[in-house]
Amino acid sequence: MKPNITCLSCCSPDRSITQIKYNREGDLLFSVAKDTVTNVWYSVNGERLGTYNGHTGAVWCVDCDWDTKNVLTGSADNSCRLWDCQTGKQLALLDTNSAVRTCGFDFSGNIIMFSTDKQMEIVKKAKEHTKQINDIQSSVDLTMIISASKDNTAKLFDSASLEHIKTFKTERPVNSAAISPNMDHVVMGGGQEAMEVTTTSTRIGSSMRAYEEEFGRVKGHFGPINCVAFHPDGEDGYTRIHYFDPQYFDFELEA
């Protein structure tokens, strides 16, 4: 029997979401979109707590440090910015030569990383997808990464060797995929824009997978899902937050 899911909707920005990120405690949810504003929400009720204003282009990425003291964002305005989480004050501005696509803190919060569109020296590469890759996310212990692709699959890799571990197939383009922090589960979200399909029956949605088999499905969005993330306690969430009932945590896939 598949688990039921209840839903809590947050207010959404006018533009497509590009990334969402929980803080370590899971009480705050940060979201960025194809506009210039970074938002922070209370995850328990979807109420917006505040914004971080200063970018002049689409914001592609966001991260929060271990103790929820600072927030890091990267933007198409060729900058990476550090913010005071509580006050929203900009603490630092790092100018780059091209758009900042990903960013993050180390465990201590004293070191940041970011990547830009400018190509760097290639250390390792893997070519398992047949179409565009839309998203890459790591497991909580950084030992695995999962990629989401327009080829209707998400793929799991060893993060050190890039060895291909598993493939998760679906009937629609996968825009985002995330790895559960405490179970052998992944969640995939995606869909196609209305102009790209002739019917709407398989246009949008997300699904839960274990051992390459689907065991649950989430519905409720009115457009393609661009980003998914797991709550640090293992509950799945988007800008529309879905809370799993207790049955989800007792579910076991029959061999």
Side-chain angles (χ1 to χ4, degrees), residues 23 30 35 75 90 96 115 128 155 197 215:
N23 66 340
F30 299 86
D35 56 21
S75 171
Q90 182 176 300
T96 61
S115 65
E128 296 289 341
K155 293 180 182 287
V197 293
F215 69 91

Side-chain angles (χ1 to χ4, degrees), residues 137-159:
Q137 297 191 33
S138 65
S139 60
V140 68
D141 61 2
L142 306 181
T143 60
M144 295 183 292
I145 58 174
I146 190 167
S147 57
S149 172
K150 206 170 183 178
D151 66 7
N152 296 10
T153 70
K155 293 180 182 287
L156 193 67
F157 297 88
D158 179 275
S159 59

Side-chain angles (χ1 to χ4, degrees), residues 179-191:
I179 304 170
S180 170
N182 52 15
M183 303 183 80
D184 292 328
H185 298 167
V186 302
V187 63
M188 302 157 57

Side-chain angles (χ1 to χ4, degrees), residues 185-220:
H185 298 167
V186 302
V187 63
M188 302 157 57
Q192 292 174 281
E193 298 289 351
M195 66 181 66
E196 298 178 358
V197 293
T198 56
T199 63
T200 60
S201 60
T202 62
R203 195 164 50 125
I204 58 176
S206 65
S207 62
M208 300 295 303
R209 308 233 166 196
Y211 306 107
E212 301 183 353
E213 297 293 332
E214 179 180 314
F215 69 91
R217 184 165 291 201
V218 178
K219 295 182 179 180

